[in-house]
Amino acid sequence: MAGVFEQFVAFGTDIVGLERLMRLLQSLFTILTCYPGLIPLLLPAQTAHVHRRSGLAMLQLSGHLNLTRRALRLFWCLGSFRSSFSAWAGLPSESEKGLETWLSITADSFFGLFGLVESVTLPDLLQVRHFSVLGYAEAVKLDGQAQGLWLAGLVCASLGSGIRLSREVFARTARSPAVGEAVVVSDADGEETDDKTATTENAGRGAGDAGAGRQQRDQQPRRGREKEALDKEHSRRIGGLTRKLAAEVLDVAIPAWSTGLADIEPGTVAVATFLSTILTGYAVWERCGRAIDEKARLDLACK
């Protein structure tokens, strides 16, 4: 099991983890600037003048963090396009592509276009003197229009996650036997009997049947461990899909607010961003922990 400090180091040096950490700070600063009454609670010993200056500093820091995150995501659009193409080319025929696959392809395509616009407009949004690509006004305009691409991608992604989650839950429910259901086994003639009948018949059989019964009993612990591992994997996938779906639904509030499609308070949007960042950041945190554990197992196997 990876230690917390070691896992945090891996999380902080991972580019996705670092971006999530910056997003968490940015959303926290935005919450404090939208609700300035919270600042005195954090700085109770300071004066009202310091509280106002702290709010202005947090607002400026939020803008700097936003641009820094954009720089980290400069080439993420290429990864989105690659994921979209890989999902499209991964199956031999279009009839084998389920609805969630097409939703994933569409979502990654929208995310790629959105990231591409973000990357193109970044130089102008930095407002470097004597340097411009599209012009600041045009960059701001394109940046606002790109929010629609992000919104479309989030809607497709959330629908796809919902379908995958429902299928995982249904598969787990269908695989688990009902409570009180008789466990069916096959006798030597291939006929199915329940446990009580099988036990009665096996009691009167010869040594060969007794040996087969012992072999079956010996296999039961192994089957139990396999079932436990399978249930654990199902639970992990269901938990991951649930967090992913919740994060995507929360993120919808950001482009819906910025495009004017929804009348939401900026503070509410900041809170939704904060919560979605925790959910998506936890997925990266888990991935870093699994990578550390896997590396430790490989190092132990090589010794």
Side-chain angles (χ1 to χ4, degrees):
M1 188 68 178
V4 176
F5 177 75
E6 186 179 4
Q7 193 168 353
F8 180 77
V9 171
F11 180 83
T13 54
D14 185 274
I15 188 171
V16 181
L18 181 60
E19 194 272 342
R20 293 291 92 180
L21 186 60
M22 289 184 175
R23 190 179 195 248
L24 186 69
L25 292 175
Q26 179 187 347
S27 61
L28 181 60
F29 290 154
T30 306
I31 291 173
L32 292 174
T33 54
C34 291
Y35 302 105
L38 297 175
I39 298 179
L41 299 178
L42 297 177
L43 303 172
Q46 302 298 327
T47 62
H49 178 66
V50 174
H51 295 160
R52 287 192 297 270
R53 294 183 60 182
S54 299
L56 294 175
M58 290 179 186
L59 184 62
Q60 188 174 6
L61 281 173
S62 180
H64 289 327
L65 285 172
N66 183 37
L67 292 176
T68 304
R69 289 176 49 233
R70 283 196 174 205
L72 292 177
R73 301 195 306 264
L74 187 63
F75 298 108
W76 285 16
C77 59
L78 301 179
S80 298
F81 286 135
R82 183 186 62 181
S83 299
S84 177
F85 179 77
S86 298
W88 177 78
L91 296 176
S93 63
E94 294 186 0
S95 60
E96 297 183 14
K97 294 182 173 72
L99 177 59
E100 69 274 17
T101 304
W102 285 112
L103 287 171
S104 177
I105 293 172
T106 307
D108 286 334
S109 299
F110 280 129
F111 289 147
L113 292 173
F114 170 69
L116 180 62
V117 175
E118 273 199 331
S119 300
V120 170
T121 57
L122 177 61
D124 292 293
L125 295 178
L126 291 174
Q127 300 187 60
V128 179
R129 294 182 61 184
H130 311 299
F131 177 77
S132 177
V133 178
L134 302 172
Y136 181 75
E138 187 66 21
V140 172
K141 180 181 177 181
L142 287 175
D143 186 63
Q145 293 174 346
Q147 296 294 310
L149 296 172
W150 188 22
L151 177 60
L154 286 172
V155 171
C156 293
S158 59
L159 290 175
S161 298
I163 294 174
R164 289 190 180 92
L165 177 60
S166 61
R167 289 188 176 181
E168 283 289 341
V169 173
F170 177 77
R172 181 176 182 178
T173 305
R175 187 178 55 82
S176 301
V179 178
E181 180 181 352
V183 179
V184 178
V185 297
S186 297
D187 59 13
D189 297 328
E191 296 179 356
E192 294 182 345
T193 58
D194 59 19
D195 279 346
K196 292 183 179 179
T197 306
T199 303
T200 305
E201 292 178 356
N202 286 337
R205 292 186 177 179
D209 289 344
R214 284 195 300 271
Q215 183 179 4
Q216 186 178 10
R217 287 194 299 271
D218 293 339
Q219 291 177 352
Q220 286 180 355
R222 179 177 60 83
R223 292 174 180 173
R225 290 192 297 269
E226 291 176 353
K227 182 179 182 299
E228 183 180 356
L230 190 60
D231 289 340
K232 186 176 180 180
E233 178 63 20
H234 265 291
S235 299
R236 187 185 68 82
R237 287 203 298 264
I238 290 174
L241 286 172
T242 302
R243 290 191 298 270
K244 183 175 182 293
L245 176 60
E248 289 164 349
V249 172
L250 288 170
D251 276 339
V252 166
I254 306 173
W257 165 76
S258 60
T259 55
L261 294 177
D263 186 13
I264 309 175
E265 292 292 332
T268 304
V269 176
V271 172
T273 306
F274 182 81
L275 295 176
S276 68
T277 305
I278 292 177
L279 293 173
T280 53
Y282 183 75
V284 183
W285 178 268
E286 280 190 326
R287 175 169 59 80
C288 292
R290 289 195 299 268
I292 294 174
D293 293 339
E294 183 65 23
K295 183 177 182 298
R297 283 193 294 268
L298 291 176
D299 292 342
L300 185 62
C302 293
K303 292 181 180 179

